[in-house]
Amino acid sequence: HVQLVESGGGSVQAGGSLRLSCEVSGITEGTNCIGWFRQAPGKERAEVARIDSVGTTTYADNVKGRFTISKDTAQNTLNLQMDSLKVEDTAMYYCAISRYCVTLGAAHNYWGQGTQVTVS
């Protein structure tokens, strides 16, 4: 079955860096989009960054220039390098994968269990 497992979260001081990883397994159909989302307490889940099948990346305005999304196809891993972290980046971070980019982030996507990032 499809499984997404995030890792790399933790606690860091403002200005610091973290690198999140999402290991994907069990995908048997073609997929076009994979991305990172985050949800802070009391807030709705929001998209952070995405990367499509040809490597085109898209970022939320509030992380542009600080976060970098990448994928290692050989390792079936999605990464998120987060630099210059701010207190407002504190959230649970999730990876998700969708066959179609237009539906990335929908509840029916495959989702990981999340990894906590805390910036103080």
Side-chain angles (χ1 to χ4, degrees), residues 38 43 46-49 59-67 83-86 88-89 93:
R38 67 186 182 186
K43 295 187 177 181
E47 183 173 327
V48 175
Y59 296 92
D61 287 342
N62 54 8
V63 305
K64 282 180 181 177
R66 299 189 297 121
F67 290 10
D83 298 318
S84 302
L85 282 162
K86 303 177 180 180
E88 51 263 43
D89 294 319
Y93 284 69

Side-chain angles (χ1 to χ4, degrees), residues 35-40 43-50 59-63 67 80 88 91-96 104-105 111:
W36 288 96
F37 295 75
R38 67 186 182 186
Q39 187 168 21
K43 295 187 177 181
E44 293 188 354
R45 187 170 59 200
E47 183 173 327
V48 175
R50 67 168 61 187
Y59 296 92
D61 287 342
N62 54 8
V63 305
F67 290 10
L80 185 69
E88 51 263 43
M92 184 71 78
Y93 284 69
Y94 302 88
C95 59
L104 183 66
W111 292 86

Side-chain angles (χ1 to χ4, degrees), residues 2-108:
V2 177
Q3 193 171 17
L4 284 73
V5 180
E6 300 98 335
S7 61
S11 297
V12 65
Q13 290 188 337
S17 298
L18 282 173
R19 184 177 177 85
L20 306 184
S21 293
C22 172
E23 186 175 351
V24 182
S25 60
I27 293 289
T28 58
E29 61 183 15
T31 54
N32 284 340
C33 266
I34 187 167
W36 288 96
F37 295 75
R38 67 186 182 186
Q39 187 168 21
K43 295 187 177 181
E44 293 188 354
R45 187 170 59 200
E47 183 173 327
V48 175
R50 67 168 61 187
I51 185 167
D52 68 12
S53 59
V54 296
T56 302
T57 57
T58 305
Y59 296 92
D61 287 342
N62 54 8
V63 305
K64 282 180 181 177
R66 299 189 297 121
F67 290 10
T68 303
I69 190 171
S70 63
K71 62 180 178 179
D72 183 336
T73 304
Q75 298 294 326
N76 290 328
T77 301
L78 176 73
N79 300 304
L80 185 69
Q81 177 66 39
M82 305 187 296
D83 298 318
S84 302
L85 282 162
K86 303 177 180 180
V87 172
E88 51 263 43
D89 294 319
T90 296
M92 184 71 78
Y93 284 69
Y94 302 88
C95 59
I97 192 167
S98 175
R99 186 166 187 176
Y100 303 105
C101 282
V102 69
T103 57
L104 183 66
H108 67 266

